[in-house]
Amino acid sequence: MLDQEAVARLSAALVSRAGGYLRNPVRRDRITCSVCTTPAPGYERCFQCNGHRTQRGLADAVAVLTYAVARQQSGYVMLGYKARRPLEEHRTIVALLVLLALSRHAECPGRIVGAPTTHWATVPSLPAKPGEHPLHGIVGSVAPWPEVRLVAAAHASRPRDVNPEHFGTDSQLPQGSHVLLLDDTWTTGGHAQSAVLALRHAGAEHVSVLVVARWVNEDFGDNARFLRELSNRDYEPEICPWTGGSCPPPPALAMSRT
């Protein structure tokens, strides 16, 4: 991955381009969902993530890089980077978010679940669409592990449901595999968690999910106030998306603190 000088230079580039409208997700007990970081005042999980708990084998850990707010610049970026005619500036922002997350925080999911990452995958469009998904091209150029390629079903009557049949792979993963699954936008989480289950069926022991953006509608509930409280904070790439603060310590250091 990148050396410290390159990371610092690209972090500054991201902040100068988009730091004024991107927001680091908040991880606060009973303020935001403990899974996807959307506002969930008074609850441990949001409605969708709580409903997913009936499924066994969901993601070991979920991290989110930023919020994408409907009808605001952050939302336009997540739509524009994969438009029929992609906007180059939007694609650059998404690429910087992914590159910096993998450079700064590649070891964090392994520290959280207790097993280093061994493979990567991305969530395809559902139902399947021709051509390469833009996120796949971005991740494939920088990920340091071998890929597990997922394929989406040609048809899905209820695509937002959590269903392992929505995705498949020809890969058979070795024992102890830990897949880092990347998705561009989490709305209900159904696509990502369905892909997690498909990877479990392929033999993955651990699956961590790294999401570029958690989609937020400011017209829902108290979201507008929540977002206003974040409006005076520029984006900080060094904040760990897995913890919402400092990166988790290496296992040996963590054991020495117990």
Side-chain angles (χ1 to χ4, degrees), residues 38-101:
T38 196
Y43 296 92
E44 182 180 356
R45 298 175 183 84
C46 67
F47 177 79
Q48 290 89 355
C49 289
N50 195 58
H52 295 163
R53 296 177 69 198
T54 59
Q55 297 279 349
R56 298 183 61 184
L58 299 177
D60 293 82
V62 176
V64 180
L65 298 180
T66 189
Y67 292 117
V69 183
R71 299 182 301 280
Q72 292 189 16
Q73 186 61 27
S74 55
Y76 295 139
V77 165
M78 297 311 300
L79 297 174
Y81 102 99
K82 59 182 178 181
R84 185 179 297 274
R85 294 183 178 179
L87 297 177
E88 191 59 35
E89 175 67 8
H90 294 178
R91 182 179 171 85
T92 297
I93 298 303
V94 173
L96 284 171
L97 283 165
V98 171
L99 178 57
L100 288 169

